[in-house]
Amino acid sequence: MKCFKDLSCVCNRYGLYFSNMMKFGDHRICSNCLKALQLSVYRKQHVRKKWTSTAVRQSFIDFFCQNHDHKVIKSSSIIPTKNQGTYFTNAGMNQFKPIFLDTIDKSHPMSELRRAVNSQKCVRVGGKHNDLEDVGKDLFHHTFFEMLGNWSFGDYFKMEACSMALELLTTVYKIPINRLYFTYFGGDEGQGLVADMETRDIWLSLGVSDDRVLPFGMKDNFWDMGDSGPCGPCTEIHYDYIGGPNSVRLVNTGLPEVLEIWNLVFMQYNRRTDGTLEPLNRVHVDTGMGLERMLAVMNNTSSTYNTDLFIPMFNAIQKSCNIRGYGGKTDDPIDTAYRIVADHTRMASVCIADGLLPGTRDQGHKLRSVLFRCFHQSKRMLQMPHGLVPSLVDVVVQSLGEAFPELQEHRLKIKDVISDSEDHYEKVFRIGVKAFDKCLSSNKDTASRHLTDKILMDIVDGKYSDGYGIPSEMLPHLGEIYSVSLDIQGLQQIVEQHQSKEQVEKTEKVYLSPETVKEIVGMGITPTDDSFKYTYQYHSKDNMYDFPQGMKAVVSAIVKDDHLFSEAVGKDEFGILLNKTMFYGECGGQIADKGCIKTNNGFFYVRDVQIVNKYVLHIGNMESGSISVGDSVFLHIYEDHRLGCMKNHTATHILNGCLRKIYDNVRQEGSRVSPHKFSFDFSTTSQMKQEDLTTLQDNVQQIINSGLIICRGLQPLDQALQISNIITMANEEYPSHVYTVSIGRGCSEFSTELCGGTHVTNTKDIESFCITSASMSPLGIKRMTCLSGTQAKKAIENGFILEKYLQEFEAMIKSEAQTDTWLDRVKHINKIQQVLLEVNSSRPVAVVSTRDKNLSIVVCLNENIELDDGFEAELKSVDSDVKLKKKVKKNCTFLIITLKRKALEKSVAICEKLQSVFS
Ligand SMILES: [Zn+2]
């Protein structure tokens, strides 16, 4: 509306010539602008009282809940459960997917849901397009946002959905209807889809004038979940910031003057795998309204940052940095930094509250990248003092804590994690600067101030920083400081190649897609009764567990590559579905049973067991003969494998309980139970100290020795959650009825967890326990790797032997009398190496508690002997023991360093100690 200022006769906004300029106050303006101006005055007077984010959110929820009988559903975690199939929760519908796909368990509390409303926490970072780099540069992108939504699951459809939407917008939010545009699906001949005239007519019948109802194609107005599954047309509601007849041309152009504010999806088709569409029996409505965008509309600003979700953060930053305030410009680096720091702190807070921690993989890696980017901007652009970003968490909690209580609950933890990350960032930054210096001086000849992907990979691998790798997300920041261009894309490709190579072994293969499950259900095949996995008994007489070996079952289906077969034959991998089984399917961190399925003429080796929608799939291959659908078969599990898992699983629970007694806010993040060892991941707000490990080890052993009884119970979820001190897993989806596992009864009750695993019946059966490694990175999840049973015994023994040998060796070196020859020393070192090698290959690693004692002996030995020049070079050329003996000439240092590097470094995790030298 600049035209009234320059008094020309050309209206700037529309670029049109107006002869009839009018007077408005002291100015002459065109008629269009007059209209807009009058409207804005009207708006200021009537409609636009300041709307807070809380008011926008709550009005939405109240409207659907109170006026239209919707059930308020809590936002699901930002970290999706395994079967939701996305990286981060990125839309409101993620948690309802099983309802749309019709794969939801009938006992699930949500299976009866008809109408729902909520505000869903969403994160969009990474994926194919790296939009992270865009956040902060414009005025409306975010890594974290809220999606308001209402749903109908086989309940109301288009008419009700549209009329409720219009009612909310015009009566609650009080938006004039002439500021809204409505789009509908205009059909697609190529796909054989007719236009959604029904929706068009509905809008007209609700009083929308026909020049405001516009058709668009597949891209804008047809929604699908993927290549197959539920899909359908959608109708979008757009808000017009300008007003006036010319805005119609701006709908769906991506220009900020006319913005989409609400999308209503009507799921009415199912797309089959061959691409054809069939009508759905039950139709659904899924809608999404971005809270931040709606809030901006309600405050008549086109920037989502000019709202109460961000302004308090900007104020807090300004106050502590003593810099100028946020100016809202897009081409201003300070304003950009303001937006990045505020947005990223919100995202990190929400993720950490949901249990995510910065790390090197998957979502944890994304979180770390976001945090690093936040620190970079806060330090380099805003000169924010160290420790200020964590304090912004309070502002986030103030703004979002009411809607998402988990933020309040974990406020201290969030601050701790961000603070740890900041320390980590500083440390890595210092090392990175040195690495860049070194790298640039040693690559002078390339001189073009460009670092290729290969050079970057070297930096990442730690070539320029004594083996201390620089995380790739640090590189752009360093590149900026050194003004060098970096081939980040090339590096990305190399990293991805590495990862995909790793993932080939790791990816979870889809054995049964939802479609095949549907087919199986359609054939009348009932889910597998796998309750027999719990049918085992302890016989004190022979000190043995008795499993139902040879159990009889019937083959109900055979699958290969997600297709149904009538017979399993040949060397290919098959999945056999049985009517009942005693095999344990991988679940809750405990790996599956192994074993075999036998018939009179077939032997099937079961290498893995997976449970898909209560169907238990025995995966493996025919060793001989064949097995067909309908065959009667006999089942055998490998008992040692199962028993090892049982001991380790119970030991996991004991460790979990003991951790909670010495640390605050312990949260189990995962576990992996195999027959040979188990690992336990957890987070805590307490500092983990070396001496805790010995205490923990002793406490667990004490529980084992006290012979507590272990009981399994089955009860409704709500009832189980009432149990005091019940231990549940973060981000785990529990069914309506759950198993509980209690250790100890009555007054000697030690712990109760929700758990469907298999356990020993008495803690005594675990015999022995030890911790073999504990990663105590201040970032990321803390992980303990542990052993139980005979493996633990052997590891503890190894630790003592090693200690003894090392002490002998120490005495030998220190003795003034040079009676021993270097050959004696070599012999002794060989003895030590023998233990270490044995430990390193199949045998358990030495126990943490003795490891440190041993390590200190080695360090002490090292200090007693002077280093020889040129020794490092010599060391590199030595790679076998034979050569070693030839090369060694009374050089004790050599021996010790070799010992340290070659054996200890790997098996005794000396790396940790070495790395701390850098800090
Ligand atoms: Zn468990």
Side-chain angles (χ1 to χ4, degrees), residues 649 653 753 755 759:
H649 199 146
H653 285 216
E753 291 193 30
C755 174
H759 292 264

Side-chain angles (χ1 to χ4, degrees), residues 827-847:
K827 272 187 198 157
H828 203 94
I829 282 174
N830 276 347
K831 246 165 69 178
I832 295 170
Q833 279 192 329
Q834 213 52 48
V835 185
L836 288 171
L837 282 176
E838 190 188 9
V839 153
N840 214 8
S841 53
S842 60
R843 290 300 164 82
V845 179
V847 185

Side-chain angles (χ1 to χ4, degrees), residues 52 96 117 119 131 278 282 319 322 396 505 561 657 674 762 771 858 883 885 890 913:
T52 62
F96 302 118
V117 60
S119 178
D131 43 352
E278 60 185 357
R282 249 161 68 98
K319 217 170 112 193
N322 240 331
V396 177
E505 294 137 33
D561 299 330
S674 75
N762 187 304
I771 303 167
V858 174
K883 280 190 197 164
K885 280 177 196 165
K890 287 188 184 174
K913 284 271 173 193

Side-chain angles (χ1 to χ4, degrees), residues 238-344:
H238 295 248
Y239 177 77
D240 171 14
Y241 274 95
I242 315 164
N246 294 298
S247 301
V248 67
R249 281 179 281 144
L250 302 176
V251 177
N252 272 337
T253 54
L255 292 172
E257 280 85 357
V258 178
L259 266 189
E260 179 222 320
I261 51 170
W262 203 348
N263 186 6
L264 286 62
V265 177
F266 305 124
M267 288 184 211
Q268 61 184 98
Y269 303 112
N270 178 45
R271 195 192 296 278
R272 285 185 290 239
T273 30
D274 62 4
T276 56
L277 294 173
E278 60 185 357
L280 279 176
N281 294 334
R282 249 161 68 98
V283 291
H284 312 288
V285 177
D286 160 16
T287 87
M289 172 197 274
L291 169 75
E292 293 74 11
R293 202 177 263 192
M294 195 60 205
L295 179 63
V297 164
M298 297 307 286
N299 286 290
N300 197 33
T301 166
S302 57
S303 166
T304 45
Y305 288 91
N306 279 344
T307 61
D308 74 335
L309 290 173
F310 291 92
I311 292 168
M313 297 195 75
F314 296 153
N315 292 341
I317 294 170
Q318 187 198 1
K319 217 170 112 193
S320 356
C321 301
N322 240 331
I323 49 165
R324 69 153 172 83
Y326 173 68
K329 293 207 182 75
T330 47
D331 51 0
D332 180 300
I334 299 281
D335 285 348
T336 305
Y338 261 114
R339 285 189 291 270
I340 289 174
V341 173
D343 172 273
H344 291 10

Side-chain angles (χ1 to χ4, degrees), residues 34 136 144 161 226 299 332 427 438 469 503 518 549 568 597 663 673 689 756 766 768 783 800 831 860-861 872:
L34 178 65
F144 163 74
N299 286 290
D332 180 300
K427 179 176 153 190
K438 210 166 167 185
Q503 255 164 17
K518 251 188 177 169
Q549 296 289 30
I597 299 175
Y663 295 132
V673 174
K689 290 193 229 60
I766 303 170
S768 195
R783 165 170 292 185
F800 286 127
K831 246 165 69 178
C860 164
L861 288 176
E872 286 279 333

Side-chain angles (χ1 to χ4, degrees), residues 744-750:
R745 266 193 283 218
C747 53
S748 63
E749 182 180 316
F750 170 74

Side-chain angles (χ1 to χ4, degrees), residues 886-904:
K886 281 184 189 163
K887 289 221 172 196
V888 171
K889 285 183 183 146
K890 287 188 184 174
N891 193 336
C892 304
T893 320
F894 190 94
L895 289 178
I896 290 161
I897 301 283
T898 309
L899 167 76
K900 191 166 89 173
R901 287 273 165 92
K902 287 195 70 178
L904 278 179

Side-chain angles (χ1 to χ4, degrees), residues 71-91:
K71 191 169 177 203
V72 185
I73 300 290
K74 202 174 160 275
S75 166
S76 65
S77 166
I78 210 76
I79 309 141
T81 53
K82 208 165 62 177
N83 48 20
Q84 286 174 6
T86 55
Y87 219 57
F88 281 107
T89 299
N90 58 9

